[in-house]
Amino acid sequence: MVGLRLCQLAMMFCNISILCQLPLALNRLVAVTSPVAYSSVFSNRRTMYILVCLWIVGCATVSPYFFDGCAFVYEIDTFLWAYSNNSCGNAMVTFDFVYGTSIEVAVITLDMTTFFAICVRTKKLAKLRNGEKELRQLRKNISFYLQGCIISGFYVVMIFSFFHLSKFAKTKWTAFAATTGFWLVAQGISGAAIFAFNGSFRKTLSCYRSKEGETSKKCPTTVAWHPK
């Protein structure tokens, strides 16, 4: 029973991580197209509401597994994640695939819109004499855009591999690589991308504090997770 619940938790966290890509893509779009309104659109309170909604939706996606006869388990013999071999299991396979695919399609659409907005805005700012400050901010937003594209790309590969490539696995280890392996890689790349494209985050990790407890000038007091 404990192992079964752990599998459900794993699916819940995966669904939440996939869903998180949607507000982040919208975040990038607003940062590029409406930088002045960004702070009000993504205020601390609204961001908190978004996070709460993400967790509620994530929990709801795995709620069917708490009913008898509906399960999502990890088979040790085959190294594969398996759904119940019944109507509930078949429905959940379809739901999980449509859920992940729909979100990634929406994310890619938002990212493409952001890309065209970046191109248009860059041309406009390049023509302005006093647009250097905004142009620097736009370039910073571009780094967040690239971060999101990399993460989304790996999530697309993860979903495709989990539901399709795994069917062609001939050994247990290729099955593991096509499912759990890609799953772990996508999550790892997600964290690595945040570290690679977020200078403030890197500085925070590498900064130090003096013995007197005073913050070093090289150490930022806050981490800019999102462009402002």
Side-chain angles (χ1 to χ4, degrees):
M1 181 62 70
V2 175
L4 181 62
R5 295 294 178 246
L6 289 177
C7 291
Q8 294 168 2
L9 285 175
M11 176 59 77
M12 182 189 72
F13 289 134
C14 181
N15 288 345
I16 292 175
S17 65
I18 293 174
L19 186 59
C20 281
Q21 304 307 309
L22 193 57
L24 288 177
L26 183 60
N27 181 294
R28 295 188 291 269
L29 179 60
V30 174
V32 172
T33 58
S34 303
V36 177
Y38 176 85
S39 298
S40 60
V41 174
F42 286 95
S43 62
N44 291 337
R45 176 173 294 184
R46 288 181 179 176
T47 301
M48 182 183 66
Y49 290 155
I50 291 173
L51 292 175
V52 171
C53 289
L54 290 177
W55 278 94
I56 292 175
V57 173
C59 293
T61 58
V62 298
S63 59
Y65 296 124
F66 288 91
F67 294 96
D68 293 336
C70 196
F72 178 73
V73 299
Y74 183 76
E75 296 182 345
I76 300 178
D77 296 335
T78 60
F79 287 4
L80 284 172
W81 298 86
Y83 295 83
S84 299
N85 189 20
N86 52 30
S87 58
C88 180
N90 295 333
M92 291 308 297
V93 171
T94 303
F95 170 79
D96 287 339
F97 177 73
V98 173
Y99 169 88
T101 303
S102 300
I103 291 175
E104 292 306 326
V105 168
V107 169
I108 292 173
T109 301
L110 289 172
D111 283 343
M112 290 180 63
T113 305
T114 303
F115 174 76
F116 288 116
I118 289 174
C119 294
V120 173
R121 191 166 180 80
T122 301
K123 291 180 180 180
K124 289 183 178 180
L125 292 177
K127 296 179 181 179
L128 298 177
R129 294 181 179 179
N130 57 347
E132 294 182 1
K133 184 177 180 180
E134 291 187 28
L135 189 58
R136 287 196 299 269
Q137 183 63 45
L138 180 61
R139 289 170 180 169
K140 183 184 295 185
N141 291 336
I142 291 175
S143 67
F144 284 94
Y145 168 75
L146 294 175
Q147 168 190 318
C149 289
I150 292 174
I151 295 174
S152 299
F154 274 93
Y155 271 82
V156 169
V157 174
M158 179 191 73
I159 294 172
F160 180 77
S161 178
F162 187 90
F163 288 99
H164 295 289
L165 291 183
S166 60
K167 297 179 181 179
F168 300 96
K170 296 182 179 180
T171 66
K172 292 195 300 184
W173 288 109
T174 54
F176 176 85
T179 53
T180 307
F182 269 113
W183 199 344
L184 295 175
V185 169
Q187 299 296 335
I189 292 296
S190 178
I194 293 175
F195 182 83
F197 289 93
N198 197 319
S200 298
F201 185 61
R202 294 196 303 272
K203 290 179 181 178
T204 300
L205 292 180
S206 60
C207 73
Y208 62 91
R209 294 180 180 275
S210 62
K211 294 182 180 180
E212 293 77 14
E214 296 179 355
T215 304
S216 170
K217 294 182 179 180
K218 297 181 180 180
C219 182
T221 56
T222 59
V223 178
W225 287 96
H226 303 295
K228 293 183 178 180

